Amino acid sequence: KVMCNRLENITRSIRKKVIKAYGFISSPNRSPRHSASIQLALTPTFEYWNRPTNKAFHDLTTTTAAPLNLRSLLGLGLKFIPAPYRTTNFAKLTKPDSGIAYIDRSLRLRCFFC
């Protein structure tokens, strides 16, 4: 019983590490092509079509290994900075034409079309 419980904990730990590193677990019963097609089918359409294609990242380290997802993050370059569509600071909120009125209208529209 103790050995079985320990084996389950080790298996769960390995599964978590693989999912963290690669994003999914492939089945050994399927071919790599079949596993890839399943993952492609599970990818949301928005994420598939909105991936940047012009990435540039050169790993010049010799002794340390870079994390697995570093290439996709740093390959976006310095110009990739997420910014909100509308900024909200106190000066903009107090404007009569675009502040609270805009937030109120936006909230009402979202509630109406939910």
Side-chain angles (χ1 to χ4, degrees):
K1 177 101 178 166
V2 174
M3 192 65 154
C4 184
N5 202 8
R6 185 171 181 205
L7 184 62
E8 286 178 17
N9 287 338
I10 292 171
T11 306
R12 190 179 309 117
S13 171
I14 291 171
R15 290 177 72 84
K16 281 184 181 179
K17 287 179 182 178
V18 169
I19 288 174
K20 184 178 178 183
Y22 299 106
F24 68 98
I25 294 180
S26 179
S27 173
N29 300 331
R30 299 185 194 118
S31 69
R33 186 178 186 141
H34 187 209
S35 296
S37 66
I38 289 173
Q39 280 307 118
L40 184 62
L42 293 176
T43 303
T45 310
F46 179 80
E47 289 181 14
Y48 180 77
W49 291 109
N50 289 321
R51 287 183 295 186
T53 57
N54 53 352
K55 297 182 192 176
F57 169 67
H58 304 286
D59 187 12
L60 302 176
T61 58
T62 56
T63 56
T64 59
L68 296 171
N69 294 331
L70 186 67
R71 180 180 304 268
S72 62
L73 176 64
L74 295 180
L76 298 172
L78 295 175
K79 293 183 180 180
F80 180 76
I81 300 172
Y85 178 69
R86 295 224 183 244
T87 57
T88 53
N89 57 20
F90 186 74
K92 289 192 176 187
L93 286 176
T94 55
K95 281 185 176 179
D97 58 308
S98 66
I100 299 294
Y102 174 78
I103 293 174
D104 183 51
R105 180 180 180 277
S106 177
L107 183 64
R108 288 177 189 267
L109 283 173
R110 286 181 190 231
C111 288
F112 180 79
F113 288 108
C114 282

